[in-house]
PDB file of all heavy atoms in Angstrom:
ATOM      1  N   PRO A   1       0.616  -0.088 -14.809  1.00 94.00           N
ATOM      2  CA  PRO A   1       1.173  -0.911 -15.888  1.00 94.00           C
ATOM      3  C   PRO A   1       1.782  -2.225 -15.376  1.00 94.00           C
ATOM      4  O   PRO A   1       1.784  -3.216 -16.082  1.00 94.00           O
ATOM      5  CB  PRO A   1       2.248  -0.014 -16.505  1.00 94.00           C
ATOM      6  CG  PRO A   1       1.801   1.377 -16.203  1.00 94.00           C
ATOM      7  CD  PRO A   1       1.145   1.290 -14.853  1.00 94.00           C
ATOM      8  N   HIS A   2       2.271  -2.216 -14.141  1.00 87.00           N
ATOM      9  CA  HIS A   2       2.860  -3.429 -13.563  1.00 87.00           C
ATOM     10  C   HIS A   2       1.795  -4.416 -13.089  1.00 87.00           C
ATOM     11  O   HIS A   2       2.073  -5.599 -12.934  1.00 87.00           O
ATOM     12  CB  HIS A   2       3.776  -3.081 -12.390  1.00 87.00           C
ATOM     13  CG  HIS A   2       4.949  -2.262 -12.796  1.00 87.00           C
ATOM     14  ND1 HIS A   2       6.004  -2.762 -13.526  1.00 87.00           N
ATOM     15  CD2 HIS A   2       5.228  -0.956 -12.584  1.00 87.00           C
ATOM     16  CE1 HIS A   2       6.881  -1.804 -13.746  1.00 87.00           C
ATOM     17  NE2 HIS A   2       6.430  -0.693 -13.188  1.00 87.00           N
ATOM     18  N   ASN A   3       0.597  -3.913 -12.813  1.00 86.00           N
ATOM     19  CA  ASN A   3      -0.497  -4.768 -12.342  1.00 86.00           C
ATOM     20  C   ASN A   3      -1.808  -4.229 -12.914  1.00 86.00           C
ATOM     21  O   ASN A   3      -2.579  -3.575 -12.209  1.00 86.00           O
ATOM     22  CB  ASN A   3      -0.529  -4.790 -10.810  1.00 86.00           C
ATOM     23  CG  ASN A   3      -1.359  -5.939 -10.278  1.00 86.00           C
ATOM     24  OD1 ASN A   3      -2.137  -6.532 -10.993  1.00 86.00           O
ATOM     25  ND2 ASN A   3      -1.196  -6.232  -9.006  1.00 86.00           N
ATOM     26  N   PRO A   4      -2.080  -4.482 -14.200  1.00 91.00           N
ATOM     27  CA  PRO A   4      -3.249  -3.889 -14.857  1.00 91.00           C
ATOM     28  C   PRO A   4      -4.593  -4.364 -14.310  1.00 91.00           C
ATOM     29  O   PRO A   4      -5.606  -3.703 -14.512  1.00 91.00           O
ATOM     30  CB  PRO A   4      -3.078  -4.271 -16.322  1.00 91.00           C
ATOM     31  CG  PRO A   4      -2.132  -5.424 -16.332  1.00 91.00           C
ATOM     32  CD  PRO A   4      -1.273  -5.289 -15.107  1.00 91.00           C
ATOM     33  N   ARG A   5      -4.645  -5.476 -13.606  1.00 89.00           N
ATOM     34  CA  ARG A   5      -5.906  -5.941 -13.015  1.00 89.00           C
ATOM     35  C   ARG A   5      -6.204  -5.271 -11.683  1.00 89.00           C
ATOM     36  O   ARG A   5      -7.297  -5.377 -11.155  1.00 89.00           O
ATOM     37  CB  ARG A   5      -5.872  -7.449 -12.820  1.00 89.00           C
ATOM     38  CG  ARG A   5      -5.851  -8.202 -14.127  1.00 89.00           C
ATOM     39  CD  ARG A   5      -5.905  -9.671 -13.890  1.00 89.00           C
ATOM     40  NE  ARG A   5      -5.780 -10.392 -15.150  1.00 89.00           N
ATOM     41  CZ  ARG A   5      -5.546 -11.671 -15.251  1.00 89.00           C
ATOM     42  NH1 ARG A   5      -5.402 -12.391 -14.150  1.00 89.00           N
ATOM     43  NH2 ARG A   5      -5.438 -12.237 -16.420  1.00 89.00           N
ATOM     44  N   GLY A   6      -5.217  -4.600 -11.128  1.00 89.00           N
ATOM     45  CA  GLY A   6      -5.399  -3.891  -9.868  1.00 89.00           C
ATOM     46  C   GLY A   6      -4.741  -4.623  -8.713  1.00 89.00           C
ATOM     47  O   GLY A   6      -4.331  -5.777  -8.831  1.00 89.00           O
ATOM     48  N   TYR A   7      -4.649  -3.913  -7.594  1.00 90.00           N
ATOM     49  CA  TYR A   7      -3.973  -4.448  -6.417  1.00 90.00           C
ATOM     50  C   TYR A   7      -4.952  -4.948  -5.354  1.00 90.00           C
ATOM     51  O   TYR A   7      -4.553  -5.646  -4.432  1.00 90.00           O
ATOM     52  CB  TYR A   7      -3.055  -3.376  -5.817  1.00 90.00           C
ATOM     53  CG  TYR A   7      -1.907  -3.048  -6.730  1.00 90.00           C
ATOM     54  CD1 TYR A   7      -2.011  -2.038  -7.676  1.00 90.00           C
ATOM     55  CD2 TYR A   7      -0.728  -3.769  -6.669  1.00 90.00           C
ATOM     56  CE1 TYR A   7      -0.962  -1.746  -8.525  1.00 90.00           C
ATOM     57  CE2 TYR A   7       0.333  -3.491  -7.513  1.00 90.00           C
ATOM     58  CZ  TYR A   7       0.202  -2.478  -8.439  1.00 90.00           C
ATOM     59  OH  TYR A   7       1.244  -2.206  -9.280  1.00 90.00           O
ATOM     60  N   PHE A   8      -6.207  -4.544  -5.443  1.00 92.00           N
ATOM     61  CA  PHE A   8      -7.239  -4.981  -4.498  1.00 92.00           C
ATOM     62  C   PHE A   8      -6.830  -4.645  -3.065  1.00 92.00           C
ATOM     63  O   PHE A   8      -7.008  -5.437  -2.151  1.00 92.00           O
ATOM     64  CB  PHE A   8      -7.544  -6.470  -4.668  1.00 92.00           C
ATOM     65  CG  PHE A   8      -8.013  -6.810  -6.055  1.00 92.00           C
ATOM     66  CD1 PHE A   8      -7.123  -7.221  -7.026  1.00 92.00           C
ATOM     67  CD2 PHE A   8      -9.351  -6.668  -6.400  1.00 92.00           C
ATOM     68  CE1 PHE A   8      -7.551  -7.505  -8.315  1.00 92.00           C
ATOM     69  CE2 PHE A   8      -9.792  -6.942  -7.679  1.00 92.00           C
ATOM     70  CZ  PHE A   8      -8.882  -7.358  -8.642  1.00 92.00           C
ATOM     71  N   GLU A   9      -6.238  -3.445  -2.884  1.00 92.00           N
ATOM     72  CA  GLU A   9      -5.798  -2.976  -1.576  1.00 92.00           C
ATOM     73  C   GLU A   9      -6.461  -1.651  -1.264  1.00 92.00           C
ATOM     74  O   GLU A   9      -6.572  -0.777  -2.131  1.00 92.00           O
ATOM     75  CB  GLU A   9      -4.278  -2.784  -1.551  1.00 92.00           C
ATOM     76  CG  GLU A   9      -3.497  -4.052  -1.793  1.00 92.00           C
ATOM     77  CD  GLU A   9      -1.995  -3.792  -1.891  1.00 92.00           C
ATOM     78  OE1 GLU A   9      -1.584  -2.621  -1.996  1.00 92.00           O
ATOM     79  OE2 GLU A   9      -1.242  -4.776  -1.872  1.00 92.00           O
ATOM     80  N   ASP A  10      -6.868  -1.464  -0.017  1.00 93.00           N
ATOM     81  CA  ASP A  10      -7.451  -0.210   0.421  1.00 93.00           C
ATOM     82  C   ASP A  10      -6.351   0.853   0.484  1.00 93.00           C
ATOM     83  O   ASP A  10      -5.328   0.659   1.146  1.00 93.00           O
ATOM     84  CB  ASP A  10      -8.094  -0.384   1.794  1.00 93.00           C
ATOM     85  CG  ASP A  10      -8.732   0.896   2.285  1.00 93.00           C
ATOM     86  OD1 ASP A  10      -9.859   1.197   1.853  1.00 93.00           O
ATOM     87  OD2 ASP A  10      -8.077   1.598   3.083  1.00 93.00           O
ATOM     88  N   ALA A  11      -6.550   1.971  -0.212  1.00 95.00           N
ATOM     89  CA  ALA A  11      -5.520   3.009  -0.309  1.00 95.00           C
ATOM     90  C   ALA A  11      -5.190   3.609   1.056  1.00 95.00           C
ATOM     91  O   ALA A  11      -4.027   3.892   1.346  1.00 95.00           O
ATOM     92  CB  ALA A  11      -5.962   4.088  -1.290  1.00 95.00           C
ATOM     93  N   GLY A  12      -6.177   3.808   1.903  1.00 94.00           N
ATOM     94  CA  GLY A  12      -5.929   4.364   3.232  1.00 94.00           C
ATOM     95  C   GLY A  12      -5.099   3.434   4.098  1.00 94.00           C
ATOM     96  O   GLY A  12      -4.200   3.883   4.832  1.00 94.00           O
ATOM     97  N   LEU A  13      -5.369   2.148   4.021  1.00 90.00           N
ATOM     98  CA  LEU A  13      -4.603   1.177   4.798  1.00 90.00           C
ATOM     99  C   LEU A  13      -3.172   1.079   4.275  1.00 90.00           C
ATOM    100  O   LEU A  13      -2.223   0.966   5.054  1.00 90.00           O
ATOM    101  CB  LEU A  13      -5.288  -0.186   4.762  1.00 90.00           C
ATOM    102  CG  LEU A  13      -4.760  -1.232   5.725  1.00 90.00           C
ATOM    103  CD1 LEU A  13      -4.828  -0.752   7.163  1.00 90.00           C
ATOM    104  CD2 LEU A  13      -5.544  -2.525   5.572  1.00 90.00           C
ATOM    105  N   VAL A  14      -2.978   1.174   2.969  1.00 88.00           N
ATOM    106  CA  VAL A  14      -1.634   1.171   2.393  1.00 88.00           C
ATOM    107  C   VAL A  14      -0.858   2.400   2.866  1.00 88.00           C
ATOM    108  O   VAL A  14       0.324   2.312   3.223  1.00 88.00           O
ATOM    109  CB  VAL A  14      -1.690   1.102   0.848  1.00 88.00           C
ATOM    110  CG1 VAL A  14      -0.319   1.340   0.232  1.00 88.00           C
ATOM    111  CG2 VAL A  14      -2.251  -0.235   0.405  1.00 88.00           C
ATOM    112  N   ALA A  15      -1.521   3.558   2.909  1.00 91.00           N
ATOM    113  CA  ALA A  15      -0.868   4.786   3.384  1.00 91.00           C
ATOM    114  C   ALA A  15      -0.479   4.651   4.860  1.00 91.00           C
ATOM    115  O   ALA A  15       0.625   5.048   5.251  1.00 91.00           O
ATOM    116  CB  ALA A  15      -1.782   5.984   3.172  1.00 91.00           C
ATOM    117  N   LEU A  16      -1.359   4.089   5.677  1.00 90.00           N
ATOM    118  CA  LEU A  16      -1.043   3.856   7.092  1.00 90.00           C
ATOM    119  C   LEU A  16       0.150   2.920   7.219  1.00 90.00           C
ATOM    120  O   LEU A  16       1.072   3.181   7.993  1.00 90.00           O
ATOM    121  CB  LEU A  16      -2.255   3.272   7.817  1.00 90.00           C
ATOM    122  CG  LEU A  16      -2.011   2.825   9.258  1.00 90.00           C
ATOM    123  CD1 LEU A  16      -1.681   4.016  10.144  1.00 90.00           C
ATOM    124  CD2 LEU A  16      -3.217   2.072   9.785  1.00 90.00           C
ATOM    125  N   HIS A  17       0.155   1.863   6.441  1.00 84.00           N
ATOM    126  CA  HIS A  17       1.250   0.899   6.471  1.00 84.00           C
ATOM    127  C   HIS A  17       2.574   1.562   6.105  1.00 84.00           C
ATOM    128  O   HIS A  17       3.628   1.209   6.636  1.00 84.00           O
ATOM    129  CB  HIS A  17       0.948  -0.258   5.514  1.00 84.00           C
ATOM    130  CG  HIS A  17       1.994  -1.309   5.503  1.00 84.00           C
ATOM    131  ND1 HIS A  17       2.941  -1.393   4.513  1.00 84.00           N
ATOM    132  CD2 HIS A  17       2.258  -2.318   6.369  1.00 84.00           C
ATOM    133  CE1 HIS A  17       3.750  -2.412   4.760  1.00 84.00           C
ATOM    134  NE2 HIS A  17       3.357  -2.985   5.873  1.00 84.00           N
ATOM    135  N   SER A  18       2.548   2.535   5.210  1.00 81.00           N
ATOM    136  CA  SER A  18       3.764   3.250   4.823  1.00 81.00           C
ATOM    137  C   SER A  18       4.247   4.189   5.927  1.00 81.00           C
ATOM    138  O   SER A  18       5.448   4.404   6.073  1.00 81.00           O
ATOM    139  CB  SER A  18       3.519   4.056   3.552  1.00 81.00           C
ATOM    140  OG  SER A  18       3.230   3.195   2.482  1.00 81.00           O
ATOM    141  N   ARG A  19       3.323   4.767   6.709  1.00 84.00           N
ATOM    142  CA  ARG A  19       3.700   5.699   7.778  1.00 84.00           C
ATOM    143  C   ARG A  19       4.190   4.993   9.034  1.00 84.00           C
ATOM    144  O   ARG A  19       5.002   5.541   9.782  1.00 84.00           O
ATOM    145  CB  ARG A  19       2.509   6.586   8.141  1.00 84.00           C
ATOM    146  CG  ARG A  19       2.145   7.589   7.082  1.00 84.00           C
ATOM    147  CD  ARG A  19       1.142   8.625   7.589  1.00 84.00           C
ATOM    148  NE  ARG A  19      -0.023   8.061   8.241  1.00 84.00           N
ATOM    149  CZ  ARG A  19      -1.193   7.779   7.643  1.00 84.00           C
ATOM    150  NH1 ARG A  19      -1.327   8.005   6.348  1.00 84.00           N
ATOM    151  NH2 ARG A  19      -2.198   7.277   8.318  1.00 84.00           N
ATOM    152  N   MET A  20       3.712   3.799   9.298  1.00 82.00           N
ATOM    153  CA  MET A  20       4.042   3.118  10.550  1.00 82.00           C
ATOM    154  C   MET A  20       5.537   2.886  10.742  1.00 82.00           C
ATOM    155  O   MET A  20       6.061   3.187  11.823  1.00 82.00           O
ATOM    156  CB  MET A  20       3.261   1.812  10.655  1.00 82.00           C
ATOM    157  CG  MET A  20       1.789   2.029  10.908  1.00 82.00           C
ATOM    158  SD  MET A  20       0.786   0.538  10.788  1.00 82.00           S
ATOM    159  CE  MET A  20       1.463  -0.476  12.068  1.00 82.00           C
ATOM    160  N   PRO A  21       6.298   2.374   9.772  1.00 75.00           N
ATOM    161  CA  PRO A  21       7.739   2.191   9.998  1.00 75.00           C
ATOM    162  C   PRO A  21       8.474   3.507  10.245  1.00 75.00           C
ATOM    163  O   PRO A  21       9.398   3.567  11.034  1.00 75.00           O
ATOM    164  CB  PRO A  21       8.234   1.524   8.717  1.00 75.00           C
ATOM    165  CG  PRO A  21       7.026   0.906   8.118  1.00 75.00           C
ATOM    166  CD  PRO A  21       5.893   1.796   8.496  1.00 75.00           C
ATOM    167  N   LEU A  22       8.040   4.573   9.572  1.00 74.00           N
ATOM    168  CA  LEU A  22       8.670   5.865   9.790  1.00 74.00           C
ATOM    169  C   LEU A  22       8.458   6.339  11.217  1.00 74.00           C
ATOM    170  O   LEU A  22       9.368   6.885  11.850  1.00 74.00           O
ATOM    171  CB  LEU A  22       8.126   6.896   8.796  1.00 74.00           C
ATOM    172  CG  LEU A  22       8.441   6.641   7.333  1.00 74.00           C
ATOM    173  CD1 LEU A  22       7.735   7.659   6.447  1.00 74.00           C
ATOM    174  CD2 LEU A  22       9.936   6.665   7.095  1.00 74.00           C
ATOM    175  N   ALA A  23       7.272   6.126  11.749  1.00 75.00           N
ATOM    176  CA  ALA A  23       6.963   6.541  13.115  1.00 75.00           C
ATOM    177  C   ALA A  23       7.706   5.688  14.143  1.00 75.00           C
ATOM    178  O   ALA A  23       7.978   6.146  15.247  1.00 75.00           O
ATOM    179  CB  ALA A  23       5.457   6.461  13.354  1.00 75.00           C
ATOM    180  N   ALA A  24       8.052   4.467  13.786  1.00 73.00           N
ATOM    181  CA  ALA A  24       8.699   3.554  14.724  1.00 73.00           C
ATOM    182  C   ALA A  24      10.217   3.553  14.611  1.00 73.00           C
ATOM    183  O   ALA A  24      10.888   2.840  15.345  1.00 73.00           O
ATOM    184  CB  ALA A  24       8.173   2.134  14.498  1.00 73.00           C
ATOM    185  N   THR A  25      10.774   4.361  13.710  1.00 70.00           N
ATOM    186  CA  THR A  25      12.212   4.377  13.484  1.00 70.00           C
ATOM    187  C   THR A  25      12.832   5.547  14.230  1.00 70.00           C
ATOM    188  O   THR A  25      12.430   6.697  14.040  1.00 70.00           O
ATOM    189  CB  THR A  25      12.519   4.495  11.975  1.00 70.00           C
ATOM    190  OG1 THR A  25      11.888   3.414  11.307  1.00 70.00           O
ATOM    191  CG2 THR A  25      14.003   4.441  11.716  1.00 70.00           C
TER     192      THR A  25
END
């Protein structure tokens, strides 16, 4: 609903990006 046209982002890369700070903290 916040971006009805889509984000044009690869879901796997977004998931990796979310895990990286946790692994580095």
Side-chain angles (χ1 to χ4, degrees):
H2 296 288
N3 196 344
R5 293 184 184 167
Y7 293 90
F8 301 93
E9 298 175 348
D10 181 80
L13 191 57
V14 170
L16 173 66
H17 181 259
S18 296
R19 290 191 310 267
M20 289 171 62
L22 295 175
T25 303

